[in-house]
């Protein structure tokens, strides 16, 4: 079975219930796509969930990375595309749950 990882970005003020809801959406999409979500990486202020995600992807060729929306990767579309390419170059594939508002990201 292909490894599947979730990723989301959350600011400090986001309640745990909102994070848990998004994790549930990631798990549901993974199941619909025939994957088991091995781990969810969460980027919070002062942490680097993204760096840990990329280590995991590099260690699991063909891994699927599931995000609530591309806004969790970055605000700017050009940066989203660069991150998508980085995931693909590391041997992973990106799945977007879709249309999730960027309420989890801090204003930049």
């Amino acid at each position: 079975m292909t490894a599947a990882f979730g990723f989301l970005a959350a600011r400090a003020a986001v309640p745990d219930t909102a994070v848990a809801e998004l994790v549930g959406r990631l798990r549901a999409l993974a199941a619909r796509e025939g994957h088991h979500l091995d781990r969810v990486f969460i980027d919070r202020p002062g942490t680097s969930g993204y760096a840990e995600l990329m280590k995991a992807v590099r260690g699991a060729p063909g891994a699927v990375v599931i995000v609530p929306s591309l806004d969790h990767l970055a605000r700017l579309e050009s940066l989203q595309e660069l991150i998508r390419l980085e995931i693909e170059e590391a041997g992973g594939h990106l799945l977007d749950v879709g249309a999730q508002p960027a309420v989890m990201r801090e204003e930049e």
Side-chain angles (χ1 to χ4, degrees), residues 24-79:
R25 291 180 67 190
L26 297 178
R27 288 193 190 289
L29 177 62
R32 279 194 310 271
E33 296 292 323
H35 304 291
H36 169 75
L37 200 57
D38 296 296
R39 184 170 172 196
V40 177
F41 297 89
I42 302 174
D43 225 10
R44 290 190 182 266
T47 68
S48 185
Y50 180 74
E52 293 300 313
L53 168 70
M54 291 309 298
K55 284 182 195 174
V57 170
R58 286 184 188 98
V64 174
V65 176
I66 304 171
V67 296
S69 74
L70 296 180
D71 286 341
H72 284 262
L73 299 175
R75 286 229 183 244
L76 298 174
E77 287 182 29
S78 57
L79 292 177

Side-chain angles (χ1 to χ4, degrees), residues 7 15-16 23 27 37 53 55 66 73 87-88 96-97 99:
F7 176 80
D16 289 341
V23 169
R27 288 193 190 289
L37 200 57
L53 168 70
K55 284 182 195 174
I66 304 171
L73 299 175
I87 290 169
E88 290 175 358
D96 177 1
V97 171

